[in-house]
Amino acid sequence: MTEHVLWYRRPAETWNGALPLGNGALGAMCFGGVADALLRLNDETVWSGSPASELAAPLVTADEARDALAAAREAVADGREDDADLLVRRLQHRHAQSFLPFADLRLRIDGADAAELTDYRRELDLRTATHTAGGGLDGNRVHHRTWISAPHRVLVHELESDDPIDVRVEIETPLRELGRVENDTATTLLVQVPSDVTPPHDKVDEPVVYEEGAAAVRGALHARILTDGTLVRGGRVLRATRVTVVLATATTFTGMGRMPEGTERAAARRATELVNAAVSAGLDEVRTAQLRDHARLYDRAELTLAAASESAELDTAERLRALGDGGSVDVACDPGMAALLFHYGRYLLLCSSRPGGLPATLQGIWNQDVRPEWSSNYTTNINVEMNYWAAHTTNLSETEEPLLGLLDALADSGAETARRLYDAPGWVAHHNTDAWGYTQPVGDGEHDAAWAFWPMAGLWLCLHLAEREAFGVTDRAERLQAFRLLRGATAFALAWTTVSDDGVRGTALSTSPENVFRTASGASAAVSESATLDVVLLRAHLDAFVRAAHLVGQEDDPLVAQAVEARAELPGIPVVDGTIAEWPGGREAVDPHHRHLSPLVFVYPGTEPLTEDLAAAASRLLDLREDESTGWSLAWKIALRARLAQPERVVALLELVFRDMSVDRGDQSGGLYDNMLAAHPPFQIDGNLGYTAGLAECLLQSHGDTIDLLPALPGALGAGAVRGLVARPGIEIDLAWDAAGAVTSARARARSAGAEGTHAFRHGDHRIEAVIGSAWSVLIGN
């Protein structure tokens, strides 16, 4: 089906044309060459640095931090916000660390470089997580197939040729190579990861650092060759019609926030054991297990929309360009592309985030650069949260579990940061982190406070704990874990906030992520007090903490009473001149079209009840921001417009999402690359994952006591059907609709006993109450 396959008429020339595979731990970008097949490989544990990176000198002392904060508070009180911006820079440490590439795998056919390639096709089948590429080389048909198994933790690349060929299997790494062991059937590569990588936005030409004796990840890649040809040491295969490479990686990484342990040779033994176990099991059995495992997750949900009649004749890049043939993008001419991108988002999430592993980074599990943009790590002021917005609603709740591990790491390291920088209990995190749980403000004292000073990351991340409870996916152990994390973040929040003379609680130093306002002197500044995002996060967080305490029988904890009192002291969400105010006093934004929509977190991903006035004010702020923006911001705007039940505004945003990014549109205009990855630009996976969440919000909402069916269906999608969406408190929904947007059939079932009971459903003016159990209940239709 065209809604589940990406295909192309030529190999990829750049990374933004290559196609992704992943099993949550091992990722590959497949370029699809026939004579020269390139796979760029990532291992989720290949990160520069270690937990010791957060202790690197110079550290801000407690005395320095206390003096800087006091001076900054005084500056804000005096109306000298631009001075406050400079003062909070004194809190900045260095930088978080980077997610890095591991190696390149190539299969080269000797003497075929100049051969004419005919009848070529490459494709990525999302249903089977399989990449294929093939074509004729001077009359010889050659076919490649690549897949990665989660159960067996190996990558398998298969080459088949009609005629015997000579093949070279080559493995290279951009990391420091510590050695390699080669024999006739296998190659083992040993590597060291840098001990420090400065992000390119800090210093453009800074070299990566391999410090002798420093704690750093070491790793190994083991690749074994199976063939009907003759094997020669060094990856040479002679006169073969079949060449299969079975590959695994392992490192000395021991867990988020924990020091690496062991040696590269121990890692090599683990990688070799994985490959040998897969070969011993038989690759047919490994493939069967891989297909079964992938289908278990991917097949839970599906969106069906009509594809254009000519879509089967066009490759994916051609279909993308055809949407804009009329000058502006018209999604209605091929709604199937909207379904394809929806499925792609779910595919990317399950390929880059699995239980027991690390969360999806800014680029999921795929990165080719040793100094990647924004370190390819975790930006916590929107981006890592957006990666998981679709996890529950599109039936992939377990993909969010790695985020809990990151929260644990942040709580551990963030306790010291809270004590030293803020003289506060609990734990704190700022706008940027990594696999080691880095929690300090970054920037070397030189970065803009608009993004570097934001001690509220813990509160936003903790909202995911509340959502897991709301969707019914927690158990007793996770509830206890959630309470502990929420309690620590609450302790910091109560210490960080202050109460004014008129009894209103707020934050005395505050930023609204990455945005700045005009000061009274006409300058620009970021630091004020009680930015609306702070108020929104505090309201939601304190509510979540009190609920969590009751769930685990800790309602008598003294902090619970303090949280209840503090919640009553928080102001309402401010509305000034008919719009949501981003800062107190209705300050004017220097950039009125800024990509961040932080004041609207209460609309989405928040679930706060929307009064008519709040909804109108939120809509007005979106109008003032306008539609044009980066890829991830477009996805957020889709979700916000959907929550506000504005399907016509969703259509306008879809026209921007589906722009062809082979055209240079500047650095603040998003769209899609040929491989359907979303552009910030450059590529950020949150645009893909956020789009899937936003489209799910158009089809199903469950923020209050009623489950809404098709609350914001974009008319451009036409008639269609969706199955496997999930509403709070864990109700699975299948529904179909006609071209006019009317529901023609709907059914529901409870995913767990806790979700069973009477539930209210609404479609337009129609309201249905039904008792929902574990079996499917028909709501509308037959």
Side-chain angles (χ1 to χ4, degrees), residues 293-315:
D293 171 78
H294 181 75
R296 175 180 60 87
L297 297 167
Y298 185 81
D299 289 352
R300 290 179 188 166
E302 182 178 36
L303 174 62
T304 303
L305 301 170
S309 58
E310 68 275 13
S311 63
E313 306 302 321
L314 300 177
D315 76 15

Side-chain angles (χ1 to χ4, degrees), residues 134-146:
L137 293 171
D138 289 346
N140 179 33
R141 181 74 184 175
V142 178
H143 183 264
H144 297 260
R145 185 174 75 162
T146 316

